[in-house]
Structures are given as C-alpha cells and as structure tokens.
Amino acid sequence: MTYVAMALLIAGTVFLLIAAIGIVRLPDPLQRMHSATKAGTLGATLMLLGVVIASDWSELSSTSGLTILFLLITLPIGAQLLGRASYVSGTRLQGLEEDPLAEELERQPGKPDEMTRDA
Amino acid sequence: MIDLADLTTILAVPMAVAFLLAGWRMVVGPSFADRFVALDMLTAIAVGFAALTTLTTGRGAFLDIALGIVLINFVATAAFAVFLERKRRRQ
Amino acid sequence: MRVTRGIRAAIALAAIFLWDLVVASLGVARIVLSPRVRTAPAIILVPTVLERPWAVALFAYFMSLTPGSTCLHVSDDRRSLYVHVLDTADTGTTIARFKNVYERWIGELER
C-alpha cells in the first residue's frame, strides 16, 4: 500500500514539474494556461490522493477529498474566466490560424504591457 | 528500500524547482494574464507542498491550509478576470 | 427507467473524462518536453444542440477540464461555444470528438 502512495506522489510531482516547465516554454498566455491549470491540477490531485492512501484512509482523507473536489470544480471556471479576460484585453496571441471569436467579442488593441502602467 | 519519509524529503527538490520556474514566469510577465496563470500554477505547487508536509510532520492541519489556498485562489482568479473585462469597458 | 439511464450516462461521463484527463495530460507533457515547442493553437467554434442552461454549462465544463482545450466564451443564444485548442492537426476531427463523446452523454443526461 505504501508503494501505491509513493507512486502517486512521484507521479504528482512529475506532472507539477512538467506544468511548470510548460509555463516557461510555451509562447502565449492561453497556451500557458493549458499547461498550468490542467497538468498542474492533475499533479496536485495525485499528490493529495497519495496522502489519502499513505495515511490509511484516516480522518485526513475527508479534507483531502474536499480539496480535490474544490480543485476540480473551481478550476475550469477560473480557466474560462481568465481565458476570456485575457482574450478581451488584447493579449498577444501567437500563431493563431483562425479566429471566429473576433466577430463575437471585441478585443482591446494595443500591447498588454501598457495596461500595467496605467492600472 | 526507500521509505515514505525519505521520499517526501527527496520530492521536495523537484517541487522547489517547479516553484522557481513558476515564480520566474510571474516576475517576468510580460502581461497580466501571464502573471495570473503563474499564480494558478503556484497554487497547485503550494497544494502539493502542503500534501508533502502533511506526510513528513504527520499533522492534518496542513491539508486544511491546502483547502484554504484553493478557495482563495478561485476568488482571486474571478476577481482578476472581472477587473480585466471592466477595464476594457471603461476605455 | 429514467433514473437508471441518468446513472448510466453519469458513470460513462466520469469514466471517459478520467481517461481523457490522463491521456491529454500526457499529450501536453509530450509537447512541453519536446526539444522544440511546436504548437498549432486555434480558436474553433463548436455548435451545440443542448438546450438547457445547465447542460450547456456542463458541456463547457468538461471541455475546459480536458487538457488541450479551454472554453473561452458561450454565445448569448447558447447555441455555440468558442474553444481554444492547444494543438490541432485537424479541426474537424476535434469538433467531431467533442460532439460524439461529451455532447452525446450529456444529451442522454438531459432527457
């Protein structure tokens, strides 16, 4: 049983590390979001599961389960809000081939760095 | 054979590397969106660290901290998104 | 009868989703760890036949949670979703996959 927990912990750490590398390497915010919010959450979930199993389903598992539940519920909602906001605010997007959303939402022109200054 | 206490100590190293990478992205930017994506990532790493700390110390209180971090992160993300969209409307 | 169908659809959704989560995470890992990051991002329009608001929300939720695709916006009449995909070789198959897998089972749940 301990080995299962160890395997879960190692897998979670690997996913978190990959997500962090993705954040540094991918070229634009929306792509970074794919790496961060999903691989990152999978990693955190696996580590929490590892804690549940390592503690032999003790009273810790209720808190772990609740944390996993909230991670899975809030994550896509946060990602959607953040993605839409960064699209609307005119973030530089790289290599986008088609963009049907341009008709629906208007994008703010100009560099996003300028926003930082007058905020 | 390696035991759980050793493993959690060893795993703290790659976690710290991940933390540094995400922190670098948060400092460098270049846009607001990048920084908040990095904040999301830091949250996930902090939850992972809380899980590891629970195993090393044997105290369940660290999992409560993880739950709190997750909830606060969601509110922060939502507030930031509303802020960005409203900023566009004002101009 | 209705209840058993709903339960069946819910179980199928959960199973497919967990499988997709792992597979797509590995896909993201492959892209990130390759020596040269080469992605083909696109924003695609996914039309939906789902009617009730919660069904559309669930559809958007599952698409957002699967790595490699994030729902950005739902049109005001709730008929189409705008999805950002990380790596698309072929837009048609991506849309068809979403519709065949998730929309079918959520539609089953909706009835």
Side-chain angles (χ1 to χ4, degrees):
Chain A
M1 218 52 198
T2 329
Y3 292 116
V4 178
M6 283 179 174
L8 283 173
L9 284 175
I10 292 173
T13 311
V14 167
F15 269 116
L16 280 177
L17 194 57
I18 287 173
I21 294 172
I23 272 207
V24 173
R25 290 194 69 192
L26 290 173
D28 76 38
L30 282 180
Q31 294 183 44
R32 283 175 196 142
M33 205 170 66
H34 286 293
S35 165
T37 54
K38 284 134 204 172
T41 311
L42 185 63
T45 307
L46 286 177
M47 294 188 81
L48 287 169
L49 276 181
V51 173
V52 171
I53 292 177
S55 66
D56 277 329
W57 302 92
S58 66
E59 76 280 356
L60 292 182
S61 51
S62 59
T63 321
S64 293
L66 213 56
T67 313
I68 293 174
L69 192 70
F70 274 121
L71 264 179
L72 288 181
I73 290 178
T74 59
L75 190 92
I77 303 172
Q80 178 177 349
L81 285 173
L82 195 56
R84 210 177 87 144
S86 55
Y87 181 89
V88 163
S89 72
T91 312
R92 181 180 51 85
L93 299 175
Q94 211 159 57
L96 214 57
E97 277 155 18
E98 43 188 323
D99 189 5
L101 188 53
E103 300 158 15
E104 186 85 8
L105 287 177
E106 111 190 65
R107 297 191 64 185
Q108 180 179 317
K111 284 181 288 186
D113 303 33
E114 288 165 358
M115 294 183 22
T116 327
R117 236 170 283 141
D118 69 82
Chain B
M1 204 48 205
I2 190 168
D3 69 348
L4 203 61
D6 289 340
L7 184 77
T8 48
T9 317
I10 294 169
L11 284 184
V13 177
M15 294 287 286
V17 174
F19 199 90
L20 283 179
L21 289 175
W24 183 78
R25 174 55 69 198
M26 192 159 182
V27 171
V28 171
S31 68
F32 269 11
D34 287 307
R35 293 179 215 275
F36 265 79
V37 168
L39 182 69
D40 265 2
M41 187 66 229
L42 286 180
T43 309
I45 296 173
V47 170
F49 257 125
L52 283 184
T53 316
T54 309
L55 285 182
T56 32
T57 60
R59 289 190 189 180
F62 286 102
L63 282 180
D64 299 338
I65 296 174
L67 183 56
I69 292 174
V70 169
L71 291 179
I72 288 176
N73 175 63
F74 173 62
V75 176
T77 309
F80 166 69
V82 170
F83 161 71
L84 258 193
E85 296 212 1
R86 191 175 292 167
K87 205 162 162 35
R88 173 188 64 120
R89 234 168 274 144
R90 218 190 300 143
Q91 285 171 346
Chain C
M1 195 60 202
R2 223 177 141 253
V3 177
T4 51
R5 199 172 57 199
I7 291 173
R8 204 168 63 96
I11 291 175
L13 263 180
I16 293 169
F17 163 68
L18 284 178
W19 177 247
D20 266 9
L21 185 63
V22 174
V23 168
S25 288
L26 291 177
V28 171
R30 193 171 46 80
I31 291 174
V32 166
L33 293 181
S34 60
R36 273 194 53 111
V37 176
R38 193 171 293 133
T39 54
I43 294 179
I44 57 179
L45 193 150
V46 180
T48 177
V49 296
L50 299 171
E51 279 166 9
R52 303 193 194 171
W54 64 263
V56 179
L58 203 63
F59 191 38
Y61 171 86
F62 276 115
M63 282 204 293
S64 292
L65 203 40
T66 316
S69 60
T70 303
C71 180
L72 286 182
H73 184 67
V74 181
S75 67
D76 288 335
D77 57 359
R78 290 199 297 270
R79 288 253 167 270
S80 46
L81 286 78
Y82 297 87
V83 183
H84 181 268
V85 286
L86 179 58
D87 193 11
T88 170
D90 177 5
T91 319
T93 50
T94 317
I95 297 178
R97 202 183 129 56
F98 282 134
K99 289 189 78 71
N100 288 341
V101 177
Y102 289 119
E103 194 178 38
R104 186 176 137 238
W105 286 108
I106 293 173
E108 195 87 346
L109 208 61
E110 187 186 26
R111 269 195 294 153

